[in-house]
Amino acid sequence: MQTHQFDALIVGAGGAGLMAALYASQGGAKVAVVSKLYPTRSHTGAALGGIGAALGNHEEDRPEWHMYDTVKGGDYLADQDAVRVLGEEAVDAVIELEHMGLPFDRTSEGRISQRRFGGHTSNFGEKAVRRACHSADRTGHMILQTLYQQCLRNEVRFFDEYQVVDLLLNQGVACGAVAIKLGSGEFHCFNAKATLFATGGWGRVWQVTSNAHSLTGDGAAIVLRRGLPLEDMEFYQFHPTGLYGLGVLLTEGIRGEGGVLLNRHGERFMERYAPTIKDLASRDVVSRSMYLELRDGKGIRGSDYLHLDIRPETVNRYLAEAGETRRIDEDFIARNLAETLEVCRTYAGVDPLQEPMPVQPTAHYAMGGIPTNVNAEVIVDAAGKVMQGLYAAGEVACVSCHGANRLGTNSLVDLVVFGRRGGKRIANFVREAPLIPPPMDAAEEVRAEFERIRNSEGSSRPGELRAQMQSLMMTHVGVFRSADGMRQGRDAVLELRQRFLQDLGIDDRGQVFNTDLMEAWELGCLLDTAVVTAECALAREESRGAHSREDFRERDDANWMVHSLISSQASGLVTEQLELALNHDKSVDRSLEAEDERFAPKERVY
Amino acid sequence: MDISFRIRRYNPEAGRTKPYWQEFELNDVEPSHRVLELLHRVKWEQDGTLAFRRSCSSGICGSDAMRINGRNALACKLLARDVGPKIQVEPILGLRVIKDLIVDMEPFLAHYRQVLPWFVNDGPLPADGRERLQAQEDKDLITDSTNCILCAACTTSCPSFWANGEYVGPAAIVQAHRFLFDTRDTGDDARLDALGAPDGVWRCRTIFNCTPACPRGIEVTRAIGEVKLAVRKGATAGIIDPATIKQQH
Ligand SMILES: Cc1cc2nc3c(=O)[nH]c(=O)nc-3n(C[C@H](O)[C@H](O)[C@H](O)COP(=O)(O)OP(=O)(O)OC[C@H]3O[C@@H](n4cnc5c(N)ncnc54)[C@H](O)[C@@H]3O)c2cc1C
Ligand code: SF4
Ligand code: FES
């Protein structure tokens, strides 16, 4: 097996991984980025609407207001030390992206243009504010491209189409990872002083999702299998406006520019659920309201979708009604929502300039993940003990700046702010730290698991198991949840997992680009991620943010202002029993609240 | 609807050393299904060994460029109703086939890197610690070329590239365009040198295959034309007439 030695190993080349790689390399570290996709194909490129930062280029804005919205949007579960960092460093990070050449849209003064976005307000919830910095509705694409280009300029080493399948631990510290080179099927050992996971989310656990096929929770599952905890896995966000049937995302920027949600009666129903900011309430609130409308039979043509309307005549009518002077026209939409028009025309045969778009909530974003502190260092217990040599950033991480529900535009902020912190921290760490060698037979266990899958001849095909899991999770661990349903869902998913272990059958026994094999391994990751999600959701007996229980409808601050930490006690990489241990000992950081009582938990009204 | 699929297969390990065609039948296909979904159905229901790249399934990552009924496209952006009931799929041309629909992207990316595709401006930053200023009209000069997702559909539809794989190709030129015409960038000299070299922009014979091949609707040939002018003049100012920039409808 080939072994590579680096100061820093970055697993994943989305916004978080590239940001970390860039800063670690600028700090003098020898950096390798290992990614199963070519970097520019990472799902960060799909992010549409914008990146939030209180630049105040159109109207007054302040980092504290951004922090307040983030804490409130997160339903008071976010760690406020992390929120403070997010708000304070967002401005600087966005300016830095501009300095790296990111082609932002501009205001008439030539500054970065900003738009409204769900849950972002000025003056502690007073009114919607223009905070989302954007490049049309292709902001993520521009961030990804810009960071990749700068990494090339900085001579970061890329190992493209190498898939990490195991984490290396020795003497209780992380010392790299095992990867498969997809083009040849060879195992490679990456030995490093610091390893950072930035593998993104796991939307493919659910049936209707905005996430790429490649978002299969590899990073979360790998870490779980090595005995490390995952945090707040019950909190998974459903975005209100997925294109009906496909789940492809229609950006919140559409509502930011004035678009409205309508039920079958043409009623703008969000006026009832969120009288102040209406369609721009935070995502959990809007998704739930949509479900309630659908349940009341108010779906379009009695079906299970609603309308999103951005036609100028509709938008301008509501703008006039609200006493606003701004008006939009078709040109404005074509310029600012080009991607949206394209997506609707291609996939739904709907021209948003002529008719409303059919939408339904779609599985979108993982608030939970690998627990870290504000320096992207992975922590292993409720007291915040650091795992030496291991880091995580981006969607796979849970520094908990999003709490129970992430605000739109805050993921891109999270990537650049905590990716950068991780990169800087790593650059410092590797200067002094020794290189711990990998354990003997580093790849033996994971190789055995791959040989099992490669040679499997059972009757359960991965595609079939995956589809069943996705449908179960959608029904039982989706927007609305109850104990009975979740128990049923979890047990059924555990059964699928048994079939995966005992009765799997794949076709391809080869080495070169064996995508059959890799997809089956990824299914294993999805199944583990699904099980821990259901387990954590079942345990949390309250409704908070994206976690909404029909049998516990209220938020319960007295008992549940705590994070969940779940880990597997199983000895062995992929075992029959996951032997999960769940605790709620990690409390929420409330340092902003300690200084300013406006950050104290309140009922969330929008 | 029913679909009959003809797929170009190649597996270096399976004993058959030559590429061959294989047929698959699919029933109950919705006209709104993407060709990518149909490929998944073949893979998941009939033959797991079929290999192709894909990720986002919504036309944004650039993984699944392939030749569908003789024309380059992203499999996730073509619907069954647009191509149906007989679909022929083969790998993009001009790059070495590794397995089935997967080609070697390395030469393509090497050309990309050749044009120094990164923003350069080592001058002083604004004293107020804020963003550089840029007029929206100036940003619009590069809006089209910043949309490139490096899918390779243009380069692998270009006869000049098929004839000579050393040609940097349309995609690399579009990427260079994005920086050359960025009013904030100062790295033009080195880039213009790279593009003026024998395998640079002059290998383009204006055959126009690239523009219709681009799934992002980028005016590729136009961008190449503007880069040619810049190479000839040794400068970029005044080349693009803002009034002619296409409105994105
Ligand atoms: C359609 C859509 C629109 C969005 N719009 C917005 C928005 O407007 N604003 C906002 O703030 N957020 C938005 N988001 C959310 C945001 O885009 C994501 O949360 C964020 O981009 C995740 O970035 P990341 O760097 O963590 O991971 P990703 O960009 O997903 O990258 C993951 C990387 O890890 C690699 N990888 C994964 N597994 C492995 C493995 N086993 N081995 C090696 N490499 C691996 C992949 O190759 C990839 O490079 C949107 C999300 C979606 C889906
Ligand atoms: S210019 Fe268009 S076709 Fe060519 S690589 Fe870029 S996106 Fe693909
Ligand atoms: S799968 Fe991403 S462009 Fe087709």
Side-chain angles (χ1 to χ4, degrees):
Chain A
M1 184 172 59
Q2 212 173 318
T3 298
H4 311 263
Q5 291 184 338
F6 286 92
D7 290 333
L9 171 67
I10 310 292
V11 184
L18 293 178
M19 198 74 180
L22 190 57
Y23 279 86
S25 71
Q26 283 174 353
K30 201 176 141 217
V31 180
V33 177
V34 173
S35 173
K36 68 178 179 180
L37 302 172
Y38 277 104
T40 57
R41 296 174 178 179
S42 306
H43 212 53
T44 293
L48 306 165
I51 175 166
L55 303 182
N57 283 352
H58 299 267
E59 53 191 330
E60 189 188 0
D61 198 5
R62 301 185 194 164
E64 304 88 85
W65 298 345
H66 189 182
M67 295 174 205
Y68 170 81
D69 294 335
T70 303
V71 167
K72 176 180 172 189
D75 221 351
Y76 301 95
L77 192 72
D79 284 322
Q80 297 177 3
D81 54 343
V83 173
R84 185 195 302 262
V85 168
L86 182 96
E88 276 173 358
E89 298 185 11
V91 172
D92 195 40
V94 167
I95 297 292
E96 231 170 71
L97 289 173
E98 196 283 330
H99 292 167
M100 291 181 206
L102 196 137
F104 283 109
D105 285 322
R106 300 292 171 153
T107 66
S108 51
E109 289 90 53
R111 298 205 167 275
I112 295 170
S113 174
Q114 301 181 276
R115 61 162 61 114
R116 291 178 184 168
F117 234 78
H120 290 280
T121 69
S122 57
N123 205 12
F124 298 89
E126 201 174 274
K127 64 178 179 42
V129 73
R130 297 176 71 167
R131 185 177 291 147
C133 311
H134 60 89
S135 180
D137 49 356
R138 300 182 170 122
T139 315
H141 166 77
M142 303 303 171
I143 290 179
L144 188 63
Q145 294 279 332
T146 303
L147 293 176
Y148 180 56
Q149 293 152 359
Q150 291 301 315
C151 282
L152 289 178
R153 190 184 181 196
N154 269 272
E155 298 182 357
V156 170
R157 262 299 285 286
F158 283 96
F159 292 84
D160 298 335
E161 299 195 321
Y162 281 67
Q163 186 155 354
V164 166
V165 292
D166 199 6
L167 167 67
L168 293 171
L169 302 174
N170 198 6
Q171 305 163 20
V173 307
C175 56
V178 179
I180 294 181
K181 181 177 180 180
L182 299 178
S184 68
E186 296 158 327
F187 283 80
H188 285 242
C189 169
F190 288 86
N191 182 202
K193 295 175 180 175
T195 303
L196 181 137
F197 273 76
T199 51
W202 43 89
R204 288 283 154 178
V205 162
W206 289 270
Q207 189 173 29
V208 177
T209 178
S210 66
N211 280 200
H213 287 287
S214 54
L215 290 171
T216 48
D218 306 7
I222 288 171
V223 161
L224 182 79
R225 290 169 185 176
R226 283 293 166 201
L228 299 170
L230 297 174
E231 182 172 342
D232 289 349
M233 292 297 285
E234 63 271 41
F235 295 104
Y236 197 90
Q237 178 174 81
F238 283 73
H239 191 292
T241 56
L243 192 57
Y244 177 59
L246 294 175
V248 175
L249 196 76
L250 301 177
T251 174
E252 195 165 291
I254 300 168
R255 283 171 284 140
E257 301 293 11
V260 291
L261 286 162
L262 304 172
N263 63 22
R264 67 183 293 184
H265 306 302
E267 183 203 4
R268 185 185 186 186
F269 56 87
M270 284 311 299
E271 288 179 332
R272 272 186 276 121
Y273 297 96
T276 310
I277 59 175
K278 308 185 175 83
D279 300 85
L280 287 176
S282 76
R283 288 177 182 172
D284 55 327
V285 175
V286 181
S287 284
R288 268 196 299 279
S289 309
M290 290 170 72
Y291 258 78
L292 293 173
E293 290 296 294
L294 293 174
R295 194 180 287 185
D296 276 0
K298 293 186 190 159
I300 307 300
R301 292 193 204 98
S303 185
D304 49 349
Y305 67 93
L306 293 153
H307 272 155
L308 173 60
D309 196 343
I310 185 70
R311 289 175 300 177
E313 68 262 31
T314 311
V315 172
N316 290 337
R317 192 172 75 235
Y318 283 111
L319 284 174
E321 218 170 79
E324 291 200 44
T325 49
R326 196 171 71 93
R327 296 289 179 270
I328 69 168
D329 58 20
E330 293 194 354
D331 250 23
F332 175 86
I333 298 171
R335 253 182 297 114
N336 287 281
L337 299 168
E339 203 63 44
T340 300
L341 295 186
E342 169 92 11
V343 160
C344 286
R345 287 169 181 162
T346 307
Y347 296 115
V350 166
D351 182 350
L353 298 175
Q354 307 300 329
E355 49 184 326
M357 302 164 256
V359 293
Q360 82 187 119
T362 182
H364 186 58
Y365 183 85
M367 272 73 71
I370 306 171
T372 71
N373 60 26
V374 293
N375 292 311
E377 294 167 315
V378 170
I379 57 177
V380 295
D381 63 18
K385 180 166 172 272
V386 168
M387 172 86 189
Q388 192 187 318
L390 193 60
Y391 300 75
E395 189 168 337
V396 72
C398 179
V399 53
S400 201
C401 57
H402 308 303
N405 170 62
R406 171 176 74 81
L407 286 192
T409 82
N410 267 0
S411 171
L412 293 175
V413 186
D414 177 0
L415 308 184
V416 295
V417 165
F418 293 103
R420 179 168 74 163
R421 283 187 154 239
K424 287 183 177 169
R425 192 71 168 191
I426 286 174
N428 281 332
F429 172 76
V430 301
R431 242 172 257 140
E432 308 291 329
L435 182 67
I436 310 281
M440 294 283 283
D441 308 322
E444 199 174 358
E445 249 182 307
V446 73
R447 203 194 286 265
E449 167 66 359
F450 270 87
E451 287 317 302
R452 174 186 80 80
I453 300 176
R454 190 195 309 277
N455 297 307
S456 63
E457 293 182 319
S459 59
S460 300
R461 294 182 69 88
E464 170 200 333
L465 296 178
R466 190 190 312 107
Q468 288 181 24
M469 169 198 69
Q470 289 169 334
S471 143
L472 284 164
M473 291 298 286
M474 200 79 194
T475 313
H476 298 298
V477 197
V479 172
F480 279 109
R481 303 164 171 187
S482 70
D484 286 348
M486 284 190 284
R487 244 179 241 121
Q488 217 180 311
R490 176 200 56 193
D491 293 347
V493 172
L494 279 170
E495 256 168 58
L496 294 175
R497 192 173 174 279
Q498 282 309 318
R499 281 170 62 194
F500 174 79
L501 293 176
Q502 284 155 8
D503 183 43
L504 186 71
I506 72 166
D507 296 336
D508 197 338
R509 315 256 179 264
Q511 298 289 339
V512 175
F513 277 108
N514 188 339
T515 52
D516 203 18
L517 172 67
M518 298 316 297
E519 281 187 11
W521 179 79
E522 289 172 342
L523 168 63
C525 295
L526 286 171
L527 285 165
D528 287 2
T529 312
V531 171
V532 294
T533 302
E535 204 67 59
C536 292
L538 195 50
R540 183 173 287 269
E541 299 188 329
E542 64 158 351
S543 288
R544 182 185 298 273
H547 176 67
S548 187
R549 297 227 7 193
E550 301 194 272
D551 42 359
F552 297 92
R553 287 173 186 270
E554 301 300 319
R555 191 176 81 201
D556 178 357
D557 291 338
N559 294 305
W560 287 103
M561 287 282 282
V562 288
H563 298 288
S564 319
L565 286 178
I566 192 163
S567 57
S568 162
Q569 315 288 305
S571 58
L573 201 54
V574 181
T575 51
E576 295 264 311
Q577 300 301 325
L578 276 165
E579 294 177 45
L580 296 175
L582 174 59
N583 74 58
H584 297 102
D585 301 336
K586 188 168 182 264
S587 53
V588 172
D589 181 282
R590 297 166 78 163
S591 47
L592 287 168
E593 182 186 338
E595 289 166 25
D596 183 341
E597 63 181 28
R598 284 177 293 194
F599 285 89
K602 286 187 272 306
E603 202 194 332
R604 245 179 1 143
V605 283
Y606 279 103
Chain B
M1 64 200 267
D2 296 343
I3 296 265
S4 60
F5 236 134
R6 225 174 145 237
I7 302 177
R8 189 76 168 160
R9 304 289 310 265
Y10 171 67
N11 184 347
E13 297 175 283
R16 282 173 90 161
T17 49
K18 287 229 167 67
Y20 59 99
W21 291 101
Q22 190 175 0
E23 318 256 340
F24 297 92
E25 300 295 324
L26 286 178
N27 304 322
D28 303 323
V29 169
E30 294 283 334
S32 63
H33 279 170
R34 296 162 261 195
V35 173
L36 178 63
E37 287 172 278
L38 307 184
L39 286 169
H40 272 142
R41 273 188 60 187
V42 170
K43 183 177 180 63
W44 294 341
E45 295 166 14
Q46 302 186 28
D47 183 355
T49 68
L50 179 66
F52 51 90
R53 292 189 176 102
R54 87 302 182 247
S55 181
C56 71
S57 74
S58 56
I60 182 69
C61 77
S63 297
D64 56 346
M66 45 189 86
R67 227 167 123 82
I68 302 173
N69 289 351
R71 302 180 60 169
N72 280 1
L74 298 173
C76 67
K77 265 194 113 171
L78 273 191
L79 308 187
R81 76 163 86 88
D82 303 329
V83 282
K86 284 192 189 307
I87 309 180
Q88 176 173 303
V89 182
E90 55 197 310
I92 43 179
L93 301 179
L95 294 169
R96 183 177 64 92
V97 178
I98 301 177
K99 181 177 179 181
D100 294 341
L101 301 169
I102 298 179
V103 298
D104 182 4
M105 295 296 291
E106 284 311 320
F108 173 81
L109 290 167
H111 289 322
Y112 162 69
R113 291 189 294 264
Q114 225 171 307
V115 302
L116 315 176
W118 44 76
F119 183 82
V120 178
N121 182 337
D122 297 327
L125 294 168
D128 62 357
R130 297 294 301 250
E131 67 267 50
R132 292 190 185 84
L133 300 182
Q134 184 181 39
Q136 181 69 30
E137 299 78 62
D138 285 340
K139 187 258 162 183
D140 284 339
L141 300 177
I142 57 166
T143 296
D144 205 31
S145 46
T146 55
N147 285 332
C148 173
I149 53 175
L150 293 169
C151 71
C154 54
T155 297
T156 60
S157 71
C158 172
S160 303
F161 178 74
W162 298 338
N164 179 356
E166 298 298 306
Y167 167 36
V168 290
I173 301 173
V174 166
Q175 288 285 337
H177 181 281
R178 176 253 171 274
F179 295 101
L180 287 170
F181 293 96
D182 188 330
T183 52
R184 303 166 298 168
D185 178 276
T186 60
D188 288 359
D189 293 349
R191 253 177 242 128
L192 289 174
D193 283 351
L195 288 156
D199 290 317
V201 75
W202 302 116
R203 290 234 179 264
C204 166
R205 299 278 182 268
T206 328
I207 299 166
F208 270 105
N209 275 10
C210 49
T211 300
C214 178
R216 303 289 287 165
I218 297 170
E219 295 181 298
V220 182
T221 314
R222 172 187 171 142
I224 296 174
E226 288 164 353
V227 172
K228 282 180 177 169
L229 275 176
V231 171
R232 189 172 292 138
K233 286 176 56 174
T236 55
I239 288 178
I240 305 179
D241 173 5
T244 63
I245 291 177
K246 108 185 139 184
Q247 266 304 319
Q248 306 212 342
H249 275 286

